[in-house]
Amino acid sequence: MKKGLILFFIVIIIQSCGVDLDVLEYADTEPIDDGIDILLIYPENESVINEGTNVSGTESRLVFKWSNKNDDNFSPYSLQLINLNSNDTIIYESLESESAITLQRGVEYSWFVTGIADSKSNTWSFYNNGPEIDSNAPIPAIAISPVSGASISQTSTTVNLIWRSEDPNNDITAYDLYFGKIENPDIYENDITTSRYNDIPVEAGKIYYWKIVTKDSVGNESTSEVFTFSVG
């Protein structure tokens, strides 16, 4: 009799354990809803970014990418980018699951994406180092008008200076003009954005000297020879 009772209870225990295992197995197969509908792809979380397109010595351009969970469409999207150095936030709108954004070099950012139907992504962070910069300096400027050694009309009361400079990287940003009556002229105007400067006062019977410093986007500079002209 006792053996029969013992066997009965063993069967009951085994059956009850089997039910618990079924419940656990069912629970494991149920997807967990974490509230994340948009999956970030690039730039990757906690990464150092050395890719992108050069914009200048202080900026680079990067294409942000993401996707939708379960192939749902949550467009239009809002990408929120936070500069972790300054805590400034900028929002970029996109109809596609990517967006090209110009970033500061040497800055850590965080970003996340939201869409329609209260969809959202996780928040990722990265450090933007940017791609390697080509550091070729500009070619020194040459005088176009007046050409060096020229004599302009003695009735002239002003002169227009015109020059030309080129850069292998095509990233000239500004020019500094040095001008005066001495052979090593002083600075006359900083950060000129065109390759000419008009209406500089001159006097008859005087000799003038000038030179151009050409500057590019990564801080390279080139200095021209000293040009000269006389009035009359």
Side-chain angles (χ1 to χ4, degrees), residues 27-52:
D28 288 340
T29 60
E30 280 292 287
I32 299 174
D33 185 5
D34 55 5
I36 301 301
D37 307 295
I38 299 171
L39 306 177
L40 303 184
I41 298 175
Y42 184 84
E44 297 177 354
N45 193 29
E46 299 180 354
S47 61
V48 175
I49 300 300
N50 296 305
E51 297 84 27

PDB file of all heavy atoms in Angstrom, residues 27-52:
ATOM      1  N   ALA A  27       6.949  30.777 -22.794  1.00  0.00           N
ATOM      2  CA  ALA A  27       7.365  32.138 -22.449  1.00  0.00           C
ATOM      3  C   ALA A  27       8.629  32.526 -23.194  1.00  0.00           C
ATOM      4  O   ALA A  27       8.796  33.674 -23.610  1.00  0.00           O
ATOM      5  CB  ALA A  27       7.576  32.257 -20.943  1.00  0.00           C
ATOM      6  N   ASP A  28       9.550  31.573 -23.380  1.00  0.00           N
ATOM      7  CA  ASP A  28      10.797  31.868 -24.068  1.00  0.00           C
ATOM      8  C   ASP A  28      10.574  32.221 -25.532  1.00  0.00           C
ATOM      9  O   ASP A  28      11.361  32.948 -26.134  1.00  0.00           O
ATOM     10  CB  ASP A  28      11.752  30.674 -23.968  1.00  0.00           C
ATOM     11  CG  ASP A  28      12.321  30.521 -22.559  1.00  0.00           C
ATOM     12  OD1 ASP A  28      12.270  31.520 -21.818  1.00  0.00           O
ATOM     13  OD2 ASP A  28      12.794  29.421 -22.233  1.00  0.00           O
ATOM     14  N   THR A  29       9.524  31.682 -26.119  1.00  0.00           N
ATOM     15  CA  THR A  29       9.273  31.935 -27.529  1.00  0.00           C
ATOM     16  C   THR A  29       8.500  33.230 -27.759  1.00  0.00           C
ATOM     17  O   THR A  29       8.414  33.701 -28.885  1.00  0.00           O
ATOM     18  CB  THR A  29       8.495  30.770 -28.158  1.00  0.00           C
ATOM     19  OG1 THR A  29       7.236  30.630 -27.484  1.00  0.00           O
ATOM     20  CG2 THR A  29       9.287  29.476 -28.065  1.00  0.00           C
ATOM     21  N   GLU A  30       7.959  33.841 -26.741  1.00  0.00           N
ATOM     22  CA  GLU A  30       7.223  35.087 -26.892  1.00  0.00           C
ATOM     23  C   GLU A  30       8.189  36.260 -27.052  1.00  0.00           C
ATOM     24  O   GLU A  30       9.102  36.435 -26.249  1.00  0.00           O
ATOM     25  CB  GLU A  30       6.335  35.318 -25.661  1.00  0.00           C
ATOM     26  CG  GLU A  30       5.046  34.533 -25.677  1.00  0.00           C
ATOM     27  CD  GLU A  30       4.123  35.026 -26.777  1.00  0.00           C
ATOM     28  OE1 GLU A  30       3.553  36.115 -26.644  1.00  0.00           O
ATOM     29  OE2 GLU A  30       3.994  34.314 -27.784  1.00  0.00           O
ATOM     30  N   PRO A  31       8.080  37.096 -28.101  1.00  0.00           N
ATOM     31  CA  PRO A  31       8.976  38.244 -28.266  1.00  0.00           C
ATOM     32  C   PRO A  31       8.764  39.279 -27.170  1.00  0.00           C
ATOM     33  O   PRO A  31       7.642  39.513 -26.726  1.00  0.00           O
ATOM     34  CB  PRO A  31       8.578  38.808 -29.637  1.00  0.00           C
ATOM     35  CG  PRO A  31       7.161  38.360 -29.841  1.00  0.00           C
ATOM     36  CD  PRO A  31       7.063  37.017 -29.173  1.00  0.00           C
ATOM     37  N   ILE A  32       9.869  39.889 -26.730  1.00  0.00           N
ATOM     38  CA  ILE A  32       9.804  40.924 -25.700  1.00  0.00           C
ATOM     39  C   ILE A  32       9.685  42.276 -26.377  1.00  0.00           C
ATOM     40  O   ILE A  32      10.516  42.649 -27.205  1.00  0.00           O
ATOM     41  CB  ILE A  32      11.053  40.886 -24.803  1.00  0.00           C
ATOM     42  CG1 ILE A  32      11.142  39.532 -24.091  1.00  0.00           C
ATOM     43  CG2 ILE A  32      11.031  42.022 -23.796  1.00  0.00           C
ATOM     44  CD1 ILE A  32      12.416  39.355 -23.303  1.00  0.00           C
ATOM     45  N   ASP A  33       8.651  43.022 -26.055  1.00  0.00           N
ATOM     46  CA  ASP A  33       8.442  44.335 -26.648  1.00  0.00           C
ATOM     47  C   ASP A  33       9.212  45.365 -25.834  1.00  0.00           C
ATOM     48  O   ASP A  33       8.822  45.729 -24.731  1.00  0.00           O
ATOM     49  CB  ASP A  33       6.954  44.673 -26.662  1.00  0.00           C
ATOM     50  CG  ASP A  33       6.678  45.995 -27.377  1.00  0.00           C
ATOM     51  OD1 ASP A  33       7.640  46.560 -27.924  1.00  0.00           O
ATOM     52  OD2 ASP A  33       5.519  46.443 -27.377  1.00  0.00           O
ATOM     53  N   ASP A  34      10.366  45.833 -26.402  1.00  0.00           N
ATOM     54  CA  ASP A  34      11.190  46.815 -25.698  1.00  0.00           C
ATOM     55  C   ASP A  34      10.859  48.242 -26.098  1.00  0.00           C
ATOM     56  O   ASP A  34      11.536  49.194 -25.685  1.00  0.00           O
ATOM     57  CB  ASP A  34      12.684  46.542 -25.943  1.00  0.00           C
ATOM     58  CG  ASP A  34      13.031  46.499 -27.415  1.00  0.00           C
ATOM     59  OD1 ASP A  34      12.146  46.778 -28.253  1.00  0.00           O
ATOM     60  OD2 ASP A  34      14.196  46.200 -27.745  1.00  0.00           O
ATOM     61  N   GLY A  35       9.840  48.417 -26.940  1.00  0.00           N
ATOM     62  CA  GLY A  35       9.431  49.749 -27.358  1.00  0.00           C
ATOM     63  C   GLY A  35      10.296  50.350 -28.436  1.00  0.00           C
ATOM     64  O   GLY A  35      10.101  51.503 -28.824  1.00  0.00           O
ATOM     65  N   ILE A  36      11.285  49.603 -28.953  1.00  0.00           N
ATOM     66  CA  ILE A  36      12.197  50.098 -29.987  1.00  0.00           C
ATOM     67  C   ILE A  36      11.707  49.625 -31.355  1.00  0.00           C
ATOM     68  O   ILE A  36      11.628  48.430 -31.618  1.00  0.00           O
ATOM     69  CB  ILE A  36      13.639  49.615 -29.743  1.00  0.00           C
ATOM     70  CG1 ILE A  36      14.132  50.104 -28.384  1.00  0.00           C
ATOM     71  CG2 ILE A  36      14.554  50.083 -30.860  1.00  0.00           C
ATOM     72  CD1 ILE A  36      14.113  51.605 -28.221  1.00  0.00           C
ATOM     73  N   ASP A  37      11.364  50.573 -32.222  1.00  0.00           N
ATOM     74  CA  ASP A  37      10.851  50.251 -33.555  1.00  0.00           C
ATOM     75  C   ASP A  37      11.859  50.556 -34.658  1.00  0.00           C
ATOM     76  O   ASP A  37      11.742  50.052 -35.773  1.00  0.00           O
ATOM     77  CB  ASP A  37       9.574  51.049 -33.828  1.00  0.00           C
ATOM     78  CG  ASP A  37       8.547  50.861 -32.722  1.00  0.00           C
ATOM     79  OD1 ASP A  37       8.063  49.742 -32.566  1.00  0.00           O
ATOM     80  OD2 ASP A  37       8.251  51.847 -32.016  1.00  0.00           O
ATOM     81  N   ILE A  38      12.845  51.428 -34.350  1.00  0.00           N
ATOM     82  CA  ILE A  38      13.831  51.859 -35.337  1.00  0.00           C
ATOM     83  C   ILE A  38      15.212  51.391 -34.887  1.00  0.00           C
ATOM     84  O   ILE A  38      15.603  51.603 -33.737  1.00  0.00           O
ATOM     85  CB  ILE A  38      13.807  53.393 -35.494  1.00  0.00           C
ATOM     86  CG1 ILE A  38      12.426  53.838 -35.979  1.00  0.00           C
ATOM     87  CG2 ILE A  38      14.891  53.860 -36.443  1.00  0.00           C
ATOM     88  CD1 ILE A  38      12.223  55.332 -35.974  1.00  0.00           C
ATOM     89  N   LEU A  39      15.939  50.741 -35.781  1.00  0.00           N
ATOM     90  CA  LEU A  39      17.236  50.151 -35.450  1.00  0.00           C
ATOM     91  C   LEU A  39      18.362  50.989 -36.062  1.00  0.00           C
ATOM     92  O   LEU A  39      18.421  51.152 -37.275  1.00  0.00           O
ATOM     93  CB  LEU A  39      17.308  48.713 -35.979  1.00  0.00           C
ATOM     94  CG  LEU A  39      16.171  47.784 -35.532  1.00  0.00           C
ATOM     95  CD1 LEU A  39      16.319  46.421 -36.195  1.00  0.00           C
ATOM     96  CD2 LEU A  39      16.138  47.654 -34.016  1.00  0.00           C
ATOM     97  N   LEU A  40      19.221  51.539 -35.225  1.00  0.00           N
ATOM     98  CA  LEU A  40      20.340  52.335 -35.707  1.00  0.00           C
ATOM     99  C   LEU A  40      21.398  51.426 -36.327  1.00  0.00           C
ATOM    100  O   LEU A  40      21.640  50.319 -35.854  1.00  0.00           O
ATOM    101  CB  LEU A  40      20.957  53.142 -34.563  1.00  0.00           C
ATOM    102  CG  LEU A  40      20.009  54.086 -33.819  1.00  0.00           C
ATOM    103  CD1 LEU A  40      20.776  54.892 -32.778  1.00  0.00           C
ATOM    104  CD2 LEU A  40      19.272  55.010 -34.786  1.00  0.00           C
ATOM    105  N   ILE A  41      22.040  51.904 -37.393  1.00  0.00           N
ATOM    106  CA  ILE A  41      23.059  51.120 -38.109  1.00  0.00           C
ATOM    107  C   ILE A  41      24.418  51.807 -38.075  1.00  0.00           C
ATOM    108  O   ILE A  41      25.416  51.206 -37.678  1.00  0.00           O
ATOM    109  CB  ILE A  41      22.622  50.881 -39.575  1.00  0.00           C
ATOM    110  CG1 ILE A  41      21.314  50.076 -39.621  1.00  0.00           C
ATOM    111  CG2 ILE A  41      23.727  50.151 -40.351  1.00  0.00           C
ATOM    112  CD1 ILE A  41      20.750  49.905 -41.023  1.00  0.00           C
ATOM    113  N   TYR A  42      24.458  53.086 -38.477  1.00  0.00           N
ATOM    114  CA  TYR A  42      25.757  53.782 -38.603  1.00  0.00           C
ATOM    115  C   TYR A  42      25.559  55.272 -38.415  1.00  0.00           C
ATOM    116  O   TYR A  42      24.572  55.814 -38.907  1.00  0.00           O
ATOM    117  CB  TYR A  42      26.348  53.512 -39.992  1.00  0.00           C
ATOM    118  CG  TYR A  42      27.718  54.105 -40.202  1.00  0.00           C
ATOM    119  CD1 TYR A  42      28.861  53.421 -39.776  1.00  0.00           C
ATOM    120  CD2 TYR A  42      27.864  55.353 -40.792  1.00  0.00           C
ATOM    121  CE1 TYR A  42      30.113  53.983 -39.960  1.00  0.00           C
ATOM    122  CE2 TYR A  42      29.117  55.906 -40.967  1.00  0.00           C
ATOM    123  CZ  TYR A  42      30.237  55.220 -40.553  1.00  0.00           C
ATOM    124  OH  TYR A  42      31.478  55.768 -40.718  1.00  0.00           O
ATOM    125  N   PRO A  43      26.469  55.914 -37.673  1.00  0.00           N
ATOM    126  CA  PRO A  43      27.702  55.422 -37.045  1.00  0.00           C
ATOM    127  C   PRO A  43      27.427  54.544 -35.836  1.00  0.00           C
ATOM    128  O   PRO A  43      26.466  54.775 -35.101  1.00  0.00           O
ATOM    129  CB  PRO A  43      28.427  56.715 -36.644  1.00  0.00           C
ATOM    130  CG  PRO A  43      27.343  57.727 -36.482  1.00  0.00           C
ATOM    131  CD  PRO A  43      26.305  57.392 -37.495  1.00  0.00           C
ATOM    132  N   GLU A  44      28.271  53.540 -35.654  1.00  0.00           N
ATOM    133  CA  GLU A  44      28.038  52.544 -34.628  1.00  0.00           C
ATOM    134  C   GLU A  44      28.229  53.109 -33.221  1.00  0.00           C
ATOM    135  O   GLU A  44      28.939  54.089 -33.010  1.00  0.00           O
ATOM    136  CB  GLU A  44      28.969  51.349 -34.843  1.00  0.00           C
ATOM    137  CG  GLU A  44      28.710  50.625 -36.151  1.00  0.00           C
ATOM    138  CD  GLU A  44      29.674  49.484 -36.387  1.00  0.00           C
ATOM    139  OE1 GLU A  44      30.615  49.352 -35.574  1.00  0.00           O
ATOM    140  OE2 GLU A  44      29.507  48.748 -37.367  1.00  0.00           O
ATOM    141  N   ASN A  45      27.592  52.451 -32.263  1.00  0.00           N
ATOM    142  CA  ASN A  45      27.635  52.906 -30.882  1.00  0.00           C
ATOM    143  C   ASN A  45      29.046  52.792 -30.298  1.00  0.00           C
ATOM    144  O   ASN A  45      29.756  51.814 -30.524  1.00  0.00           O
ATOM    145  CB  ASN A  45      26.670  52.070 -30.049  1.00  0.00           C
ATOM    146  CG  ASN A  45      26.423  52.661 -28.679  1.00  0.00           C
ATOM    147  OD1 ASN A  45      26.501  53.887 -28.505  1.00  0.00           O
ATOM    148  ND2 ASN A  45      26.116  51.833 -27.707  1.00  0.00           N
ATOM    149  N   GLU A  46      29.461  53.849 -29.595  1.00  0.00           N
ATOM    150  CA  GLU A  46      30.746  53.913 -28.888  1.00  0.00           C
ATOM    151  C   GLU A  46      31.924  53.665 -29.832  1.00  0.00           C
ATOM    152  O   GLU A  46      32.896  53.011 -29.471  1.00  0.00           O
ATOM    153  CB  GLU A  46      30.761  52.929 -27.715  1.00  0.00           C
ATOM    154  CG  GLU A  46      29.692  53.229 -26.669  1.00  0.00           C
ATOM    155  CD  GLU A  46      29.729  52.251 -25.507  1.00  0.00           C
ATOM    156  OE1 GLU A  46      30.500  51.277 -25.566  1.00  0.00           O
ATOM    157  OE2 GLU A  46      28.987  52.478 -24.539  1.00  0.00           O
ATOM    158  N   SER A  47      31.830  54.211 -31.041  1.00  0.00           N
ATOM    159  CA  SER A  47      32.892  54.029 -32.038  1.00  0.00           C
ATOM    160  C   SER A  47      33.651  55.330 -32.256  1.00  0.00           C
ATOM    161  O   SER A  47      33.193  56.420 -31.888  1.00  0.00           O
ATOM    162  CB  SER A  47      32.293  53.560 -33.367  1.00  0.00           C
ATOM    163  OG  SER A  47      31.394  54.532 -33.875  1.00  0.00           O
ATOM    164  N   VAL A  48      34.843  55.196 -32.848  1.00  0.00           N
ATOM    165  CA  VAL A  48      35.623  56.341 -33.293  1.00  0.00           C
ATOM    166  C   VAL A  48      35.528  56.374 -34.818  1.00  0.00           C
ATOM    167  O   VAL A  48      35.914  55.414 -35.487  1.00  0.00           O
ATOM    168  CB  VAL A  48      37.095  56.257 -32.846  1.00  0.00           C
ATOM    169  CG1 VAL A  48      37.898  57.413 -33.427  1.00  0.00           C
ATOM    170  CG2 VAL A  48      37.189  56.242 -31.329  1.00  0.00           C
ATOM    171  N   ILE A  49      35.016  57.461 -35.366  1.00  0.00           N
ATOM    172  CA  ILE A  49      34.741  57.551 -36.795  1.00  0.00           C
ATOM    173  C   ILE A  49      35.895  58.253 -37.508  1.00  0.00           C
ATOM    174  O   ILE A  49      36.195  59.424 -37.240  1.00  0.00           O
ATOM    175  CB  ILE A  49      33.429  58.304 -37.060  1.00  0.00           C
ATOM    176  CG1 ILE A  49      32.256  57.570 -36.399  1.00  0.00           C
ATOM    177  CG2 ILE A  49      33.192  58.446 -38.560  1.00  0.00           C
ATOM    178  CD1 ILE A  49      32.047  56.163 -36.869  1.00  0.00           C
ATOM    179  N   ASN A  50      36.539  57.521 -38.413  1.00  0.00           N
ATOM    180  CA  ASN A  50      37.614  58.078 -39.240  1.00  0.00           C
ATOM    181  C   ASN A  50      37.205  58.141 -40.707  1.00  0.00           C
ATOM    182  O   ASN A  50      38.050  58.353 -41.566  1.00  0.00           O
ATOM    183  CB  ASN A  50      38.874  57.216 -39.103  1.00  0.00           C
ATOM    184  CG  ASN A  50      39.423  57.224 -37.690  1.00  0.00           C
ATOM    185  OD1 ASN A  50      39.684  58.280 -37.132  1.00  0.00           O
ATOM    186  ND2 ASN A  50      39.583  56.043 -37.105  1.00  0.00           N
ATOM    187  N   GLU A  51      35.915  57.934 -40.981  1.00  0.00           N
ATOM    188  CA  GLU A  51      35.416  57.947 -42.349  1.00  0.00           C
ATOM    189  C   GLU A  51      34.663  59.250 -42.604  1.00  0.00           C
ATOM    190  O   GLU A  51      34.585  60.119 -41.755  1.00  0.00           O
ATOM    191  CB  GLU A  51      34.491  56.758 -42.598  1.00  0.00           C
ATOM    192  CG  GLU A  51      35.154  55.405 -42.472  1.00  0.00           C
ATOM    193  CD  GLU A  51      35.224  54.915 -41.042  1.00  0.00           C
ATOM    194  OE1 GLU A  51      34.365  55.320 -40.250  1.00  0.00           O
ATOM    195  OE2 GLU A  51      36.145  54.143 -40.729  1.00  0.00           O
ATOM    196  N   GLY A  52      34.079  59.333 -43.802  1.00  0.00           N
ATOM    197  CA  GLY A  52      33.294  60.495 -44.177  1.00  0.00           C
ATOM    198  C   GLY A  52      33.942  61.263 -45.314  1.00  0.00           C
ATOM    199  O   GLY A  52      34.871  60.789 -45.960  1.00  0.00           O
TER     200      GLY A  52
END
